[in-house]
Amino acid sequence: MRIRENHKGYFFIFPAFLFLVGILGFPAIAAVLQSFNLIWVKNPSFSTASYHRLLSDVEFLATLGNTVIFVGLVVGFHLIIGLGVALLLNLEIRSRHFFRVIAILPWTVPDVIGGLIWRFMFDTLPGMINAMLLQFAIISDPIDWLGHPKLAFGCLIFAETWRGYPFAMLILLAGLQAIPKEQYEAAEIDGASKFKSFIYITLPNLKYMVIIAAVLDTIWESRLFGMIYSMTGGGPGYSSQVLSLLTYKHYFLFFNTSYAGAIAVVLAIFMFTISIPYLVMTMKRE
Amino acid sequence: MVVKKSLFWAFVYAALVFMLFFNLIPFFWMTSSSLKSDYEVIDYPPTILPEKVTFGAYTRMWSQEQFFRYFINSIIVSSSTAFLSSLVGVFAAYGFSRFFFWGRTSLMTIFLASQMIPGVLLVGPYFKLLSYVELYDTLTGLILSQTTITLPFSIWMLKGYVDTVSDEIDQAAMVDGASRLRICLSIVLPNILPGLVATIIFAFLLSWGDLLWALCLISDQTKQTMTLGITQLVGQFRVQWSEIMAATVIVTIVPATLYLLLQRYLIKGFTEGAVKQ
Amino acid sequence: MKKLHIKLAHFLMLALALLFFTHSVAIAESVTISYSDWQLAQDIWGRSLREAIAEFERMNPDIKVKTEPIALGQRDVKFTTAIRGGKGPDVFALDANPVKQYIKEGWVKDLTPFIEKTGDSEWLADFYPVSLMPVTEDGKTYGIPKNVVAMVLVYNSEMFKKAGIQSPPKTWKEFRDIAKKLTIDTDGDGKIDQWGATLVLAKACFDLRFSVVLRGHGGDFLTADWEHSNLNSPEAKEAFNMVADMILKDKSMPPGVAQVDCNGARRLMAHKKVGMIFGTMWTITEVAGMNPDLHGWKVLEMAPVPQQEGSQSKIRSTLYQKSLFMNPNTKHPEAAWKLIEFLTAKKQMEKWFVDNNMLSCRKSVNDGFGPILQSKYAAIVTEEIDQHAAFLPLMPKWPECLETFRQSLQAAVAGTKEPDQALMDAHNQIEAILGR
């Protein structure tokens, strides 16, 4: 009984399928159904009331905007810094092992703890940032970093850029390692400058790794919760709140399970929409 | 030409040093805080270096707080997750990369989309599922749940790397009579070693930093993970900053060490050697 | 041959008897129940609770108690997920806030039958009537009150003396003036490093401490029937504006006050950075413990929350209560009830005070126990509990209303909205929430 060659693929993806669709599928569908008020409520009936409420909820709309800005900036910074550092670490320096370990350190901090630490660092009175700025006489009064809406949001973006860029760096470094040396050697023989070989050899070879890093990072940052929760808690007010936090609030603090489901669905759609152009690009290749 | 070259290297080293400071400043603050007394750590104006170095936070942590057990639990859970996630991921990545079966694109999309629902909503139903199969409050249940979270990322990462290995190698091996499974494990895998190592580290770190699942799926205190243990230092009455910092220092040493040990596999030379065999 | 048969029969009977004996012993073997409480994670409280539990296990050799500490901020996440999923700790503690939600969702067991079984029709009479409010619904009792305190003003009497202030503020005008007087530069370097007071504006513990400002002004978050927002009252406006002015105009609160939570407030008090905060019994224990140089037990004094001149309102303070509940999924309700009964019994209530400086929900203990009668702090707080304090609204929608209000206050303090505008917005949003 010869199996059609292509059908062998099913065997390879089966374990993953079991985990993801079998185990995760049920809760995911349950969450969607809950947002339409169809299950686990006292009087199940199809209702888009939760979604209607979203449209007129000022806090939700502001949070949505925050999420877009947060994800956009953080992922952008991650890619730029990640690529830069990956290029540095790809060079044949003697101490590169040492620097490679340093490079990944921010990412080894669990995101909840990272949030706590940065909150402590930006703390107005006992925090390190103010301590250093005061010490070097750059400012004369402590700055209330986390007390001003836009400043707090900015600090959050900075902290998450710090914490997450090794992720992009790691993916890109491994990708850089996969570029055949011969291509560079050929270019050197042809007399191309380092800059030119970067543009015409490195970048095209890295294209798909950059896309994968971008897609994964976008999803990851859209879901980010612990860091934001411990660092600003979404505040002051809801100026640094993102959708994942809002979902948590409504689900665990206010017990509005159906509304929380609706917010989560919107978040999922948001993530999906951003990933589509990249998905299309990677699929087109095949 | 020589000047250009040395300018280039000067720039490179300057950039590396800058990166060093950028990365390490919070760690410096963590370590410095962990060595301060409970009073000094929250004083104003704050001190940058401890006025009096004290290891009290570390000793208190290890003796009082069962942190050694949490540490072991975290190591077990994260290593198992990393291993399982990468193994299942490699198979799935290979399957998506080499085979074009019906539903391939949809499944790939579903796999990616499966992580777009926030954990907050998933943890409740997942809990019910685990208690149904009697895996609630077990490390195994936690490992399974964390494998599930890390899997989509693992698959997508690995697929990218598997794609860089040409299909012709597969075909050549099949002519020699090798089975697909054999090709996947003995030929493709060694070729994507850098990517695989990156994925393993990645899955390990994701699991290492998880809070929500460890919180909800474990109730026995002796089975808790370290991350969970650290957040419990934020109590109703006191936030024990020096202990939090001390615990965090230790928590970050493990992944850093892991990376140190594994990073030579990220070097290209090693892979080329494997292929030649 | 026959002898062998008989020997075998004897042996079998012996074996069966042995089996039966060990089986019945096994039946009488211990039952294990779990107890989860965030105070198990704390130094002093944790030790105190564990000592009590050890005593309980000695008195009940067939019951073993597994303690499960949990962080306060993670409590509801963990409990609700577990109870929804059919599991969870057999006995657990909650403060007053989420109880009504837990009752509504059926996450706590009705304890009325257990109370009836004690045969004592006056069993509940020893508890303050106000303590029974959060744990009772439709005439059924769902939890047993354990400890209760009321919020008061805590001030540093040494700082007062240095600034020439004779007595604690009785009115909000005095409060504001004293705060201004105490905001000084203590070491002559031109920078202010001591402030008059601090509030708590961060999420943790905001409700307890801010509510006294509102109530002291004679206002409240909601109307008495909990149906409408009361934030459009002139009293609420005054309170809101006073806080905003103290922070933005007087600058008598430390920078970064928008991020200060209860720990931060205590920390500032311990390090002599502020002269007044709102707190209660545990404040003294914690602040004194944070800094021995402060000599907290001598220097820290309490006074009732200030009120408006000529205010008619009797309620000026807020109650905080911790009660014990039983999991509806529990497999050992009798053992769980024994534990709840034990931990809320008179003897243990006395222990909670001696170990942790916490007042009891039992009238007889607060009114009769020697050490409590001698404590200067207890005198003030018990008076407040008895006469001048009330709970925050005990209803499922409350957490959402509270969060809305807090966000508005933060916006006003951050300067992104005018205080009056922020207050009106909060009022409208709370109306919308209540109307749903």
Side-chain angles (χ1 to χ4, degrees):
Chain A
M1 190 196 77
R2 284 223 71 228
I3 309 172
R4 279 243 310 261
E5 192 60 19
N6 272 333
H7 285 181
K8 284 190 191 159
Y10 288 120
F11 288 102
F12 280 97
I13 67 164
F14 184 67
F17 183 84
L18 208 62
F19 271 104
L20 290 177
V21 182
I23 295 179
L24 221 50
F26 162 59
I29 296 179
V32 178
L33 289 179
Q34 199 163 46
S35 74
F36 285 110
N37 202 41
L38 286 169
I39 56 168
W40 296 337
V41 285
K42 291 206 163 63
N43 311 306
S45 62
F46 182 79
S47 141
T48 51
S50 295
Y51 291 97
H52 277 277
R53 212 176 111 190
L54 285 179
L55 293 175
S56 53
D57 186 353
V58 173
E59 184 179 356
F60 168 75
L61 295 170
T63 308
L64 182 61
N66 286 343
T67 312
V68 172
I69 297 175
F70 178 77
V71 174
L73 287 179
V74 170
V75 174
F77 287 140
H78 280 177
L79 288 174
I80 295 173
I81 301 180
L83 182 60
V85 176
L87 287 170
L88 287 173
L89 296 178
N90 193 32
L91 297 169
E92 304 271 336
I93 315 174
R94 249 187 298 182
S95 41
R96 73 173 158 212
H97 294 294
F98 169 72
F99 280 108
R100 278 181 183 179
V101 176
I102 303 284
I104 202 184
L105 279 181
W107 205 39
T108 63
V109 181
D111 70 332
V112 181
I113 316 288
L116 275 179
I117 294 175
W118 279 102
R119 187 176 106 199
F120 191 28
M121 285 183 60
F122 278 115
D123 206 334
T124 317
L125 291 185
M128 173 157 161
I129 305 280
N130 274 341
M132 298 218 301
L133 292 177
L134 284 169
Q135 184 99 313
F136 295 121
I138 302 180
I139 55 173
S140 54
D141 279 317
I143 300 180
D144 188 7
W145 297 101
L146 299 178
H148 289 126
K150 289 210 163 42
L151 216 53
F153 196 37
C155 292
L156 182 64
I157 293 178
F158 179 80
E160 181 59 15
T161 301
W162 175 87
R163 200 193 66 87
Y165 89 83
F167 172 67
M169 192 263 322
L170 205 58
I171 295 185
L172 295 175
L173 181 61
L176 283 174
Q177 293 287 339
I179 300 178
K181 251 208 168 108
E182 298 83 51
Q183 291 192 14
Y184 287 113
E185 284 162 5
E188 214 173 319
I189 294 176
D190 283 347
S193 70
K194 273 211 159 62
F195 183 66
K196 271 226 170 81
S197 54
F198 173 72
I199 300 276
Y200 291 111
I201 300 178
T202 316
L203 286 186
N205 269 301
L206 270 188
K207 188 162 107 178
Y208 291 105
M209 296 323 295
V210 169
I211 291 177
I212 288 179
V215 173
L216 293 180
D217 204 19
T218 303
I219 296 178
W220 186 240
E221 297 299 334
S222 306
R223 304 172 60 200
L224 191 68
F225 172 74
M227 170 82 168
I228 307 174
Y229 182 75
S230 0
M231 189 169 169
T232 63
Y238 43 76
S239 56
S240 65
Q241 190 169 261
V242 292
L243 289 175
S244 57
L245 216 68
L246 192 60
T247 312
Y248 171 87
K249 265 169 60 171
H250 279 278
Y251 192 77
F252 281 116
L253 297 182
F254 306 157
F255 304 105
N256 296 334
T257 47
S258 153
Y259 196 54
I263 300 175
V265 169
V266 170
L267 182 58
I269 294 177
F270 166 74
M271 285 195 260
F272 197 69
T273 317
I274 295 193
S275 331
I276 285 186
Y278 300 110
L279 285 175
V280 166
M281 265 208 275
T282 7
M283 312 274 208
K284 252 202 189 140
R285 185 184 171 213
E286 294 134 7
Chain B
M1 226 0 237
V2 179
V3 174
K4 233 187 171 178
K5 226 186 172 152
S6 46
L7 257 177
F8 174 74
W9 286 109
F11 172 75
V12 165
Y13 276 103
L16 281 172
V17 168
F18 184 74
M19 175 203 76
L20 192 124
F21 276 111
F22 180 67
N23 279 15
L24 289 185
I25 284 183
F27 286 95
F28 165 74
W29 180 241
M30 274 200 290
T31 317
S32 166
S33 303
S34 70
L35 297 171
K36 289 182 187 169
S37 69
D38 269 340
Y39 179 92
E40 192 188 339
V41 79
I42 47 177
D43 202 9
Y44 172 75
T47 53
I48 296 190
L49 286 174
E51 264 166 32
K52 199 173 105 178
V53 172
T54 153
F55 289 95
Y58 289 94
T59 50
R60 252 174 305 164
M61 225 182 51
W62 285 123
S63 62
Q64 262 180 24
E65 310 271 7
Q66 293 201 312
F67 263 89
F68 188 66
R69 200 178 241 136
Y70 298 165
F71 187 73
I72 300 291
N73 289 340
S74 278
I75 301 236
I76 295 176
V77 170
S78 296
S79 321
S80 313
T81 303
F83 175 72
L84 199 55
S85 181
S86 306
L87 189 67
V88 174
V90 159
F91 285 135
Y94 187 76
F96 280 126
S97 176
R98 298 297 195 243
F99 304 101
F100 296 82
F101 45 87
W102 180 84
R104 176 177 172 272
T105 320
S106 321
L107 278 171
M108 271 171 63
T109 317
I110 291 179
F111 276 22
L112 190 68
S114 65
Q115 65 208 322
M116 294 184 184
I117 305 268
V120 167
L121 294 173
L122 298 173
V123 80
Y126 204 86
F127 181 103
K128 286 199 184 125
L129 196 72
L130 273 191
S131 49
Y132 187 68
V133 294
E134 305 278 308
L135 281 176
Y136 165 68
D137 205 19
T138 60
L139 289 184
T140 314
L142 191 59
I143 293 172
L144 287 178
S145 71
Q146 292 182 347
T147 306
T148 314
I149 311 169
T150 57
L151 206 50
F153 285 106
S154 297
I155 297 175
W156 270 77
M157 270 177 81
L158 286 167
K159 179 174 173 307
Y161 296 115
V162 172
D163 282 345
T164 63
V165 178
S166 166
D167 195 28
E168 290 163 6
I169 302 181
D170 291 36
Q171 302 294 344
M174 282 204 289
V175 164
D176 284 347
S179 74
R180 281 290 196 177
L181 187 64
R182 183 117 195 286
I183 297 173
C184 176
L185 290 177
S186 333
I187 299 180
V188 175
L189 199 66
N191 267 309
I192 58 166
L193 214 50
L196 181 65
V197 169
T199 309
I200 290 177
I201 294 173
F202 165 78
F204 183 90
L205 282 173
L206 260 190
S207 160
W208 190 251
D210 162 71
L211 178 64
L212 186 63
W213 300 86
L215 173 67
C216 294
L217 301 178
I218 298 281
S219 77
D220 187 348
Q221 203 192 350
T222 58
K223 296 201 188 103
Q224 279 180 9
T225 59
M226 240 192 126
T227 308
L228 187 57
I230 294 179
T231 57
Q232 286 179 348
L233 291 170
V234 181
Q236 181 188 16
F237 291 144
R238 220 180 287 201
V239 180
Q240 296 153 279
W241 283 112
S242 34
E243 269 142 343
I244 294 179
M245 294 297 131
T248 309
V249 167
I250 296 178
V251 155
T252 54
I253 286 181
V254 168
T257 315
L258 177 74
Y259 185 66
L260 184 68
L261 294 173
L262 288 180
Q263 61 140 329
R264 66 194 198 99
Y265 293 97
L266 282 169
I267 303 173
K268 206 163 63 117
F270 194 82
T271 21
E272 276 182 346
V275 168
K276 286 200 167 82
Q277 281 153 13
Chain C
M1 262 330 246
K2 246 200 176 152
K3 263 208 171 130
L4 195 59
H5 275 228
I6 297 177
K7 275 215 177 108
L8 209 58
H10 282 176
F11 177 74
L12 265 165
M13 285 200 319
L14 202 64
L16 268 165
L18 210 63
L19 212 64
F20 184 70
F21 178 68
T22 49
H23 183 59
S24 38
V25 168
I27 288 183
E29 226 178 62
S30 55
V31 141
T32 308
I33 55 174
S34 50
Y35 170 62
S36 187
D37 185 344
W38 64 91
Q39 283 171 339
L40 283 167
Q42 278 149 216
D43 265 340
I44 305 173
W45 254 118
R47 210 174 333 149
S48 177
L49 283 166
R50 286 199 182 86
E51 281 169 11
I53 288 178
E55 167 92 12
F56 174 79
E57 283 179 339
R58 271 197 295 273
M59 287 169 50
N60 297 279
D62 55 337
I63 306 181
K64 284 247 150 338
V65 180
K66 204 166 88 147
T67 54
E68 291 178 5
I70 186 172
L72 181 60
Q74 299 165 349
R75 179 198 67 201
D76 287 330
V77 172
K78 189 161 183 183
F79 285 179
T80 58
T81 306
I83 299 176
R84 268 191 183 117
K87 294 245 193 298
D90 296 289
V91 177
F92 55 93
L94 293 176
D95 57 71
N97 275 340
V99 177
K100 291 293 173 171
Q101 187 69 40
Y102 275 67
I103 294 178
K104 178 165 167 262
E105 303 276 345
W107 291 332
V108 286
K109 200 172 173 71
D110 181 9
L111 298 176
T112 325
F114 293 97
I115 300 175
E116 280 167 9
K117 249 193 271 179
T118 62
D120 180 1
S121 58
E122 293 295 294
W123 197 89
L124 285 173
D126 193 24
F127 293 101
Y128 289 105
V130 73
S131 279
L132 292 173
M133 270 173 59
V135 299
T136 315
E137 184 85 10
D138 282 337
K140 300 202 198 116
T141 310
Y142 288 94
I144 305 297
K146 189 163 161 281
N147 295 107
V148 70
V149 287
M151 305 306 289
V152 294
L153 181 71
V154 177
Y155 63 95
N156 184 327
S157 59
E158 222 174 62
M159 251 190 232
F160 270 37
K161 238 184 281 178
K162 262 204 207 126
I165 302 169
Q166 309 286 34
S167 60
K170 283 218 171 50
T171 67
W172 288 108
K173 184 163 180 313
E174 282 173 26
F175 177 74
R176 206 172 153 177
D177 287 338
I178 292 181
K180 273 196 273 208
K181 266 215 197 105
L182 291 174
T183 306
I184 52 178
D185 167 19
T186 55
D187 54 4
D189 64 352
K191 281 203 227 137
I192 296 197
D193 47 17
Q194 180 184 295
W195 291 268
T198 183
L199 276 178
V200 169
L201 293 180
K203 201 172 290 196
C205 357
F206 164 78
D207 52 355
L208 288 178
R209 287 156 188 77
F210 193 80
S211 52
V212 299
V213 178
L214 253 187
R215 288 175 170 181
H217 275 86
D220 208 338
F221 291 101
L222 303 182
T223 53
D225 57 3
W226 297 341
E227 297 272 317
H228 288 283
S229 157
N230 206 8
L231 294 177
N232 53 357
S233 66
E235 291 90 4
K237 279 208 186 74
E238 265 190 71
F240 206 78
N241 275 297
M242 183 196 84
V243 171
D245 284 344
M246 280 181 79
I247 295 176
L248 297 170
K249 294 211 187 98
D250 297 351
K251 297 207 200 294
S252 50
M253 299 203 192
V257 63
Q259 294 298 309
V260 168
D261 63 3
C262 40
N263 283 314
R266 286 190 283 264
R267 172 221 300 174
L268 287 166
M269 196 73 173
H271 287 223
K272 302 191 197 164
K273 299 290 176 216
V274 292
M276 302 187 277
I277 61 173
F278 292 106
T280 182
M281 302 297 289
W282 64 65
T283 312
I284 311 292
T285 324
E286 290 302 318
V287 171
M290 274 192 218
N291 181 10
D293 281 338
L294 178 71
H295 306 293
W297 292 95
K298 272 201 308 210
V299 156
L300 294 174
E301 296 284 338
M302 280 187 186
V305 170
Q307 286 190 280
Q308 284 294 61
E309 295 237 29
S311 168
Q312 298 295 337
S313 167
K314 219 173 139 230
I315 300 291
R316 59 184 175 219
S317 173
T318 305
L319 290 170
Y320 171 91
Q321 177 168 301
K322 188 165 162 231
S323 319
L324 295 180
F325 301 87
M326 194 190 299
N327 188 335
N329 302 326
T330 181
K331 298 206 169 54
H332 310 288
E334 278 76 32
W337 171 251
K338 281 213 183 102
L339 182 63
I340 295 180
E341 216 184 358
F342 177 79
L343 291 174
T344 56
K346 202 157 160 213
K347 183 154 169 273
Q348 258 53 39
M349 294 292 202
E350 293 171 357
K351 180 180 170 64
W352 305 141
F353 180 77
V354 169
D355 290 348
N356 310 290
N357 203 33
M358 271 301 269
L359 292 174
S360 158
C361 292
R362 284 184 178 275
K363 275 196 287 253
S364 60
V365 175
N366 284 357
D367 292 341
F369 186 47
I372 293 184
L373 290 172
Q374 286 161 12
S375 155
K376 59 179 173 176
Y377 305 118
I380 298 184
V381 177
T382 33
E383 164 95 10
E384 297 297 293
I385 296 176
D386 236 345
Q387 310 277 340
H388 300 290
F391 282 107
L392 289 172
L394 300 164
M395 52 163 202
K397 290 206 185 118
W398 174 241
E400 206 175 337
C401 298
L402 179 69
E403 181 64 10
T404 305
F405 177 78
R406 191 183 69 90
Q407 284 174 345
S408 279
L409 184 59
Q410 279 195 330
V413 165
T416 52
K417 272 191 203 171
E418 286 299 314
D420 283 337
Q421 180 61 46
L423 192 61
M424 271 329 277
D425 287 345
H427 173 75
N428 292 330
Q429 278 167 353
I430 292 181
E431 282 291 300
I433 295 173
L434 292 172
R436 243 178 257 132

